[in-house]
Amino acid sequence: MKNRFLLGSLAALFIVASCGKKQEQAQQPQGPVPFPVQTVAPQDAVVYEEYTANLEGQQNVEIRPKVNGFIQKIYVDEGQHVKKGQLLFKLETQTLSQDAAAAKAAVDAAQVEVERLKPLVDRKIISNVQLETAKAKLAQAKAAYSSVAANVGYGTITSPVDGVVGSLPYKEGSLVSATSEMPLTTVSDSRIVRAYFTMNEKQLLNFTRIFKGPTLQDKLKNTPEVSLLLVDGSEYDQKGKLTAVNGLVNPTTGTTEFRAEFPNPEGILRSGSSGIVRLPIEKDNAILVPQNAVIDMQGKQMIYVVGKDNTVTSRIITTSTTSGKDFIVTDGLKAGEVIVVEGATKLKEGQQIAPQQAGQAQEAANTETDSTMTAEASTKTSSTQKK
């Protein structure tokens, strides 16, 4: 009984001593926490200016009838690829054909009259004036016949270009005319797709300052290739080139229209769709900071700068745009300063840290991971050998 009591007392004393030791350790102040830092240094960067664009085929040709008539036959379907000269529509031209027959008969009659008067003039039975009058009537009849015959030919409508057929608003049997509100269809040549976008006056001024050349056309020649973002956010696999710019600023909108052209060998781009044109611009000696290092606070951007005694101080910065995963800083930082690049949200003003270069921190983390994996592998090997 006494032994049990003695053992219980010793256990209680051990527990009390352990708790006291843990409490003492908790009360001891901890050292500075390590944070990844980076020294600010100017470097070259590429930024992208983005512009919403409307896409159109190189040629968008509206197909309209030149004569009135009922649609007798439609030879194509919507979305079909057609060649230049391929038959598209056939209009009913029975009335025009009758007019053409009448005009041809008038030509024949005028020709007979000329043939009849020629010998009479030769024998000086009638004056030459009558023959010349008959010849004039023959020429007039031929002209009338040619006009009517051409109208008959207009009933057969072919494609003026290679391209893709658009919508077909009219069906067979519909009455159409040259004054119809909608065209019969639109044929779009989309082997080269044009992206139209606009710049405001400020953007245009910046454009003229960045790229060299005495004229806007010369500046276009000195621009790099542009890329195109599709509606799903992916980047089109073909690069484009700026090819034209409107020489005037629209006084209503204050914008100037630009045109970029993209090859479309697989027909991925469609006329009438939209996208985003990305224009790359090189920035020399730019101040870059990782986006993870910047904290948005009440509409302002803040970053933590490390002082000589390793204490951090918050600072408001101004950024212009992004370059990859970095912000380009225009105000608030200068070369040589040290900033915290990760874990900024955990910091407090004036807190002392243990600075650790971002690259070294990552290397240390990788080394630690490799060591852990090696130790685990060794343990597994030893266990297997024992078995």
Side-chain angles (χ1 to χ4, degrees):
M1 190 69 179
K2 290 181 180 180
N3 291 335
R4 290 181 180 178
F5 178 77
L6 181 60
L7 290 173
S9 300
L10 290 173
L13 289 172
F14 179 75
I15 292 172
V16 171
S18 299
C19 293
K21 187 175 182 180
K22 290 182 180 178
Q23 195 172 28
E24 182 180 355
Q25 290 176 350
Q27 290 176 352
Q28 289 179 354
Q30 296 182 353
V33 180
F35 280 87
V37 299
Q38 176 180 306
T39 303
V40 177
Q43 53 187 301
D44 297 338
V46 177
V47 300
Y48 292 90
E49 293 187 354
E50 298 183 347
Y51 305 94
T52 303
N54 297 318
L55 306 184
E56 293 184 9
Q58 188 175 11
Q59 286 182 296
N60 285 336
V61 183
E62 291 185 346
I63 308 300
R64 292 182 178 273
K66 293 184 178 180
V67 295
N68 301 341
F70 293 95
I71 298 178
Q72 187 175 3
K73 183 68 176 177
I74 300 176
Y75 295 94
V76 292
D77 200 359
E78 296 174 343
Q80 179 179 338
H81 288 265
V82 295
K83 297 291 185 180
K84 182 178 180 179
Q86 183 174 338
L87 185 60
L88 302 179
F89 302 93
K90 177 67 177 178
L91 302 185
E92 184 275 319
T93 56
Q94 183 176 357
T95 303
L96 292 175
S97 298
Q98 293 173 354
D99 294 341
K104 183 64 170 62
V107 170
D108 294 339
Q111 184 67 45
V112 169
E113 181 65 12
V114 169
E115 296 298 330
R116 185 183 71 82
L117 294 177
K118 277 184 179 181
L120 296 177
V121 172
D122 293 340
R123 288 181 288 177
K124 298 182 180 181
I125 297 176
I126 61 174
S127 67
N128 190 51
V129 175
Q130 289 178 292
L131 178 59
E132 294 300 324
T133 302
K135 288 182 178 180
K137 289 182 179 180
L138 175 61
Q140 186 177 8
K142 287 182 177 181
Y145 172 70
S146 297
S147 178
V148 176
N151 286 337
V152 174
Y154 292 150
T156 301
I157 302 174
T158 59
S159 176
V161 295
D162 296 345
V164 180
V165 177
S167 61
L168 298 171
Y170 301 103
K171 307 304 177 185
E172 292 182 1
S174 300
L175 177 63
V176 295
S177 68
T179 59
S180 297
E181 180 179 358
M182 293 184 295
L184 297 177
T185 189
T186 300
V187 177
S188 176
D189 181 2
S190 56
R191 290 172 295 180
I192 298 293
V193 171
R194 293 174 170 176
Y196 292 91
F197 62 94
T198 59
M199 290 187 186
N200 58 38
E201 294 184 64
K202 183 178 179 180
Q203 292 169 330
L204 179 60
L205 184 60
N206 187 47
F207 177 87
T208 57
R209 287 173 175 170
I210 292 175
F211 300 105
K212 298 179 180 179
T215 66
L216 277 176
Q217 292 299 327
D218 293 326
K219 294 178 185 296
L220 287 180
K221 296 177 182 179
N222 293 324
T223 58
E225 290 184 323
V226 296
S227 56
L228 179 68
L229 294 182
L230 305 179
V231 292
D232 62 352
S234 64
E235 184 173 333
Y236 183 52
D237 59 0
Q238 299 283 341
K239 295 295 184 180
K241 183 68 178 175
L242 297 184
T243 56
V245 56
N246 192 329
L248 302 177
V249 175
N250 188 320
T252 304
T253 61
T255 59
T256 299
E257 187 175 60
F258 282 72
R259 186 183 76 208
E261 294 186 354
F262 294 87
N264 190 30
E266 298 181 2
I268 295 177
L269 304 180
R270 291 285 180 171
S271 183
S273 58
S274 60
I276 296 177
V277 173
R278 304 182 75 209
L279 174 63
I281 297 178
E282 295 182 358
K283 297 283 188 179
D284 298 331
N285 297 322
I287 300 296
L288 303 181
V289 297
Q291 296 185 27
N292 291 337
V294 180
I295 304 173
D296 289 325
M297 183 174 294
Q298 297 180 353
K300 295 184 178 180
Q301 294 176 308
M302 186 183 73
I303 200 167
Y304 278 100
V305 180
V306 183
K308 293 182 179 179
D309 56 352
N310 293 336
T311 58
V312 296
T313 305
S314 61
R315 187 181 299 176
I316 302 298
I317 61 174
T318 303
T319 62
S320 58
T321 183
T322 60
S323 176
K325 296 181 179 180
D326 298 327
F327 281 119
I328 293 183
V329 180
T330 56
D331 188 32
L333 276 180
K334 58 183 179 180
E337 293 187 302
V338 180
I339 61 172
V340 178
V341 294
E342 290 183 18
T345 55
K346 301 177 182 179
L347 292 173
K348 295 181 180 180
E349 185 74 16
Q351 179 179 342
Q352 190 174 35
I353 65 171
Q356 194 171 13
Q357 289 296 326
Q360 296 176 359
Q362 183 63 39
E363 184 178 352
N366 294 338
T367 303
E368 184 178 354
T369 302
D370 293 341
S371 300
T372 303
M373 295 176 64
T374 303
E376 290 178 353
S378 300
T379 304
K380 289 182 180 178
T381 303
S382 300
S383 300
T384 304
Q385 290 176 352
K386 289 180 179 179
K387 290 180 180 181

